[in-house]
Amino acid sequence: GGARVASLFPRAVGREIAGIIGCGAGLSTGLAPGDLGAAAFVGLAGLADFNYAEMKALDLAMDASGPPHRFLFFEGRHEWPGAAVCSRAAAWLEVEAMKGGRRPKDEALARAVVGRELDEAAAFESAGRVFWAAERLEAARRLAEGVCDLPDVAVRIEALKGRPEYARFLAAEKKRDRRSAGFRDEFGRAFGALEGDEAGGGAAVGLVLREAGVGLLKKEARGAKTVEDRSLASRLLFDMSFAAQARAVDLYRAGDLVRAAAYLDVAIAACEEGLAREPGLHFDRACVAALLGDKKRALDFLASAVAKGFDDVAALETDPDLASVRDTDRFRELVKK
């Protein structure tokens, strides 16, 4: 929630501020771009971030009404980017401050900052990623206005936009946007099998995973040809896993443990390996299994949680859901591990 809090900072201090950097999320609910109260805005988001679509939409909204802005999309998830990306965000704000009269002009600094955009554009073009090359050149052109001259950039941008790879990327991105927009409805319909199963949903887990195409999505997330397609698959998997987990929490609180277990099985199956939330999913599933009296499965899920990095010893030793397995040798071994 740091980005959303940052967007409210001008209101908190009662004055306009020089700039905001929002990483992984957009503005606070109800806050319009034109009311931001900052002289400039930088948005940072991983291509596989579950808030990627929100950040793309905010970029367009700020084009229509908002302060000068720059959105940097990097290869990653809902996480901090590397130091180089963070440095570029701060440097971009420095040049915008020059253009707005908030700091003295420094042509050498401005050229260095613009030069980074030009260098990355050249790297993208060499790698055949024409859309991103054009995007970086356009960013360089906008940033350079009023502080340094880039006489040939407009011609280079038009040349890149005229290439067939550019048109193919735009078509592929529209297809990705449509797929993303419709996916929640797809897995929502699939979840109906868990809700409608009189036995509590467990028998329908495999059906839900097949109908939502979880196996295919995991293959795409690992090995799709482009980083954009791999990132889309990761976003869709996260969306489904998170929704299943949220429904499991509601059912757990309502006492419907069998159906909560089914939803957690879906959440675990749709969660990519290595995510920070993965150990917690296995721990929660262990708790539900223990409450249902399935000690073996409870201990199996606890073992997998520990193997995946779960290290909250206090939760293991005090969570009342695990009372039925706490007197076993295997449980004590897991605590020790």
Side-chain angles (χ1 to χ4, degrees), residues 6-80:
S7 71
L8 293 173
F9 188 76
R11 294 189 177 196
V13 299
R15 54 171 290 187
E16 185 177 80
I17 64 173
I20 291 171
I21 301 174
C23 183
L27 309 184
S28 181
T29 302
L31 186 63
D35 301 325
L36 188 58
F41 181 90
V42 182
L44 309 176
L47 292 172
D49 193 324
F50 49 81
N51 284 330
Y52 171 76
E54 176 192 356
M55 297 298 271
K56 278 183 60 180
L58 180 59
D59 189 11
L60 293 174
M62 285 191 168
D63 284 345
S65 62
H69 55 280
R70 175 77 172 101
F71 281 74
L72 283 165
F73 297 104
F74 57 91
E75 293 185 24
R77 304 178 186 275
H78 187 68
E79 59 192 351
W80 294 109

Side-chain angles (χ1 to χ4, degrees), residues 176-187:
R176 285 188 286 267
D177 288 344
R178 289 194 298 270
R179 187 180 179 190
S180 181
F183 184 67
R184 178 165 282 273
D185 289 337
E186 289 181 24
F187 72 67

